[in-house]
């Protein structure tokens, strides 16, 4: 049962482009006046970034996180398939060894 859940979750992560509504929510921090605090602000101390730089930064972070998200999904699918193969093999071995000889003939 756990492998089934892992398989479905993994497929959802791999096929997310077909499942998402074309919108992303971004969590960020801002100052009291409403200006965004970005990575550039905290690293260089400058406060002159524009919307284009912010969009590039957000796009880069989304791409990086999506790669991680999909890689984890691929790992989940592989683990689920391996768990099912192991389970089916074990059932086959137990079934073959528990069959009485008089039934095999």
């Amino acid at each position: 049962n756990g492998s089934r859940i892992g398989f479905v979750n993994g497929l959802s992560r791999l096929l997310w482009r077909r499942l998402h509504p074309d919108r992303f929510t971004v969590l960020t921090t801002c100052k009291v006046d409403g200006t965004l605090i970005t990575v550039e602000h905290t690293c260089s101390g400058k406060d002159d970034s524009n919307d284009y730089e912010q969009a590039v930064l957000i796009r880069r972070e989304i791409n990086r996180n999506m790669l991680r998200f999909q890689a984890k999904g691929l790992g989940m699918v592989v683990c689920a398939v391996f768990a099912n193969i192991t389970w089916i093999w074990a059932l086959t071995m137990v079934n073959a060894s528990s069959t009485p000889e008089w039934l095999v003939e």
Side-chain angles (χ1 to χ4, degrees), residues 2-86:
S3 65
R4 179 177 50 89
I5 293 169
F7 185 76
V8 171
N9 285 342
L11 277 181
S12 297
R13 288 171 182 260
L14 288 174
L15 303 174
W16 69 270
R17 289 185 195 271
R18 296 179 185 243
L19 300 173
H20 78 87
D22 272 343
R23 302 254 188 265
F24 291 98
T25 301
V26 178
L27 180 64
T28 187
T29 305
C30 63
K31 296 180 183 177
V32 175
D33 63 355
T35 58
L36 295 177
I37 299 174
T38 63
V39 174
E40 288 84 14
H41 291 142
T42 58
C43 294
S44 66
K46 296 179 183 176
D47 199 17
D48 59 354
S49 68
N50 59 23
D51 289 341
Y52 177 75
E53 291 174 355
Q54 185 70 23
V56 168
L57 178 67
I58 290 172
R59 172 61 60 193
R60 190 176 345 145
E61 288 298 314
I62 287 173
N63 289 337
R64 187 175 60 121
N65 287 328
M66 285 296 112
L67 285 174
R68 285 186 198 160
F69 188 73
Q70 287 179 318
K72 187 174 179 180
L74 180 62
M76 292 169 76
V77 169
V78 168
C79 288
V81 168
F82 181 71
N84 278 325
I85 289 172
T86 306

